[in-house]
Structure formats: structure tokens, C-alpha cells
Amino acid sequence: MRRAQIFLFILTVFCFSATGASAQQTSEIVKKDLSPAEIDRIIKTFTDNEVKFRQALTEYVFNRKATVQTLGMGGQITGTFHRESFMTFSKDGKRFEKILHAPISTLPHGFITPEDLEDLGGVNPFALEPSAISLYNFTYLGKQRIDELDLYVFDVTPKIIPDPKKTKQRLFTGRIWVDDKDLMIVKSKGKGVPETKTNKFPVVETWRENVEGKYWFPSYASSDDELFWDNGYSVKLKVRVHYRDYAQGRTEIRIVEDEDEIIEETPPPIKKP
């Protein structure tokens, strides 16, 4: 029964993205008092689950289709970045990507930065990198009902924002929703930091789906945001990312670099679960 409820939640997300907010039944966040010990237990459990899921993901391959568009004043599309990729992770957690389809971007040169590409495979779909969990503060907000699920809601903020001049580390700042029965993250909403005067990032909402009845991997991410720079310039963004075809079958990979593309020479066969 529980799995059916979560499936309904994921299915409604796609209806929501296509038809508008009325398709998803969402209540207000209600403060439900919990003891500090209970809050700590919940945090420890869902962060432990994140570690297990990321370890499991090293045995999987998957496809990602990402589209980033800028919008004009009337909502018309003024530029598009599109990339379809075959992806996997090594045993030590490094992400490898083979670009399958990438038409020439019509966004301004340099608009998509290395940090944007990193976020598409990092904090946007996964929010919390297991090795960096100790770097975050978690603030319990209460409970919220979305469709058939009762969820714990936490704000997540870095204890210290990384210095972009000293490190390339990306951290998540935003909110996560945790299933109150299985204590697993089923939704996140936030963005990557640090930002700089010349590099701003959208708030992205990500939903997860159940894979093989035991793992919760990213399924769909979206953003409709407006970025503002210190000089007064702003731009409206539309982001849509699909993570599909999760399948066990990762083999040891020999990687060669071609500019900014990482190529897998002998990709393992894609087999749907």
C-alpha cells in the first residue's frame, strides 16, 4: 500500500508539471512538535539512507535529458540549451557522462557555466552529497501532506558557504521532504551555492521515484525562476530535467577526455529493470 501511495505521488507530479498547481493536492506545513532526540533520529535515518542510495547508484546506469531555456517578456523562448546524456558513477562516487545528443546552444556564450553543469548532476537531483552531510544544518519545520503522503519538512543550509576562489565544491541550500514512514527523501527544492556577482543559479524542484522497490533515485526536476544580478540585469529561466532508464549493468569504465566531454568507450547495455 505504501508503495502505491508513493507511486501516486510521483504520477501526480508529472500531471502537475503539465497542467498546473491544481493537479497536486498540497496542504500547509503544520508544526508537529518532536523531541530533539526524535528529530536527530529522523535526520540520522534519512541521511543514512542517502548514503545507501548513492552507494547503490554506483551499480546503475541511467539516461538524463536536460533542457534550459531563457524566456522573453511575453514568455517566448529566446534561447535553448539541450543535452541528452548516458551517465553512471564509479565506485568512489565520481560521476561519468557520455553526451549522446547536444545541439548547438542558442543561449548567450558563457551563459551555461561549469557550475551549472555540475549542479545538473549534483545538488539539483541529489541535494545532499553523503560525504558532505556533516557540513549542513537541518532545521525541522513540521509536517506537510502532499497527495497521499505525510512528509517531514526540513530546511537545509550549509554551515559555511564555500569560498569559490578556494574550492570548486558545490553545496545545497533549500528544503527537503522526507516520507514519515520509510524516512527517505522523496522531494527537494533548492539550489547550488556558492553564487558570485557574475554567476547565479535557479531554485530547482526535484522528485524521486522508486527503483526496484528499494532505492529512491531522481526522476524529474524543474524550475521556473528569475535570476537577478547586482548590475540590475535579470533573466527568466525554464529548466526541465528527466532522469530515466535506471538499470543495473555498470561495468568498469575507461574514460578519455575530449574537451569538456567525458566519453565512455564501451558503454554497458541498457536494460530496463
Side-chain angles (χ1 to χ4, degrees):
M1 179 63 182
R2 189 68 183 173
R3 191 177 303 168
Q5 290 176 333
I6 299 178
F7 175 78
L8 177 62
F9 170 71
I10 297 295
L11 180 63
T12 307
V13 164
F14 286 94
C15 296
F16 171 77
S17 66
T19 62
S22 60
Q24 190 176 50
Q25 301 299 315
T26 304
S27 68
E28 298 294 324
I29 297 175
V30 177
K31 183 67 174 179
K32 298 287 187 180
D33 290 333
L34 297 176
S35 68
E38 178 65 6
I39 292 172
D40 288 344
R41 184 191 70 83
I42 293 169
I43 292 172
K44 184 179 188 308
T45 303
F46 75 68
T47 53
D48 285 349
N49 282 333
E50 284 298 292
V51 173
K52 294 176 184 177
F53 294 161
R54 291 297 289 271
Q55 290 173 341
L57 194 58
T58 66
E59 300 298 330
Y60 283 76
V61 295
F62 60 99
N63 292 320
R64 184 191 70 194
K65 181 169 71 175
T67 303
V68 180
Q69 296 175 317
T70 53
L71 306 178
M73 294 185 63
Q76 73 277 15
I77 297 170
T78 57
T80 297
F81 167 89
H82 182 79
R83 178 180 286 189
E84 297 178 22
S85 304
F86 172 93
M87 304 189 74
T88 189
F89 287 80
S90 67
K91 285 293 187 181
D92 60 1
K94 292 182 180 178
R95 185 174 65 252
F96 296 126
E97 173 182 1
K98 178 181 179 181
I99 299 174
L100 303 176
H101 178 61
I104 296 174
S105 173
T106 55
L107 295 176
H109 178 71
F111 187 87
I112 298 294
T113 67
E115 290 80 11
D116 289 307
L117 297 177
E118 172 64 24
D119 288 358
L120 281 174
V123 296
N124 285 348
F126 298 106
L128 303 179
E129 167 62 42
S131 64
I133 284 174
S134 64
L135 303 180
Y136 290 103
N137 290 318
F138 296 91
T139 303
Y140 170 67
L141 300 180
K143 297 191 71 174
Q144 186 172 28
R145 187 170 180 84
I146 301 179
D147 296 322
E148 300 297 321
L149 293 183
D150 291 310
L151 307 170
Y152 293 117
V153 186
F154 289 84
D155 274 348
V156 181
T157 55
K159 294 176 181 177
I160 300 176
I161 301 294
D163 185 344
K165 296 180 180 178
K166 298 180 180 180
T167 179
K168 293 183 179 180
Q169 184 179 41
R170 303 288 296 162
L171 294 180
F172 173 82
T173 183
R175 185 166 291 180
I176 58 173
W177 285 258
V178 178
D179 178 64
D180 72 345
K181 298 295 191 299
D182 300 321
L183 299 182
M184 298 179 294
I185 298 173
V186 298
K187 176 184 173 182
S188 63
K189 185 176 182 179
K191 64 179 178 180
V193 291
E195 291 184 312
T196 67
K197 292 182 178 180
T198 58
N199 209 1
K200 306 296 183 181
F201 306 97
V203 172
V204 176
E205 197 165 15
T206 301
W207 294 264
R208 299 185 180 191
E209 67 175 317
N210 187 270
V211 175
E212 296 188 353
K214 52 186 176 180
Y215 302 125
W216 285 89
F217 296 153
S219 175
Y220 176 71
S222 69
S223 178
D224 294 277
D225 203 358
E226 186 170 5
L227 306 184
F228 296 89
W229 281 262
D230 295 349
N231 61 6
Y233 176 75
S234 67
V235 63
K236 292 184 178 180
L237 280 185
K238 178 179 179 180
V239 180
R240 299 291 185 269
V241 188
H242 296 266
Y243 304 85
R244 295 173 172 168
D245 301 325
Y246 286 99
Q248 283 188 300
R250 188 188 67 80
T251 59
E252 290 304 316
I253 302 167
R254 186 164 70 88
I255 300 296
V256 295
E257 295 188 7
D258 179 11
E259 295 180 350
D260 62 343
E261 178 180 359
I262 298 177
I263 300 174
E264 182 187 357
E265 294 187 310
T266 55
I270 296 289
K271 296 180 180 179
K272 291 188 177 181

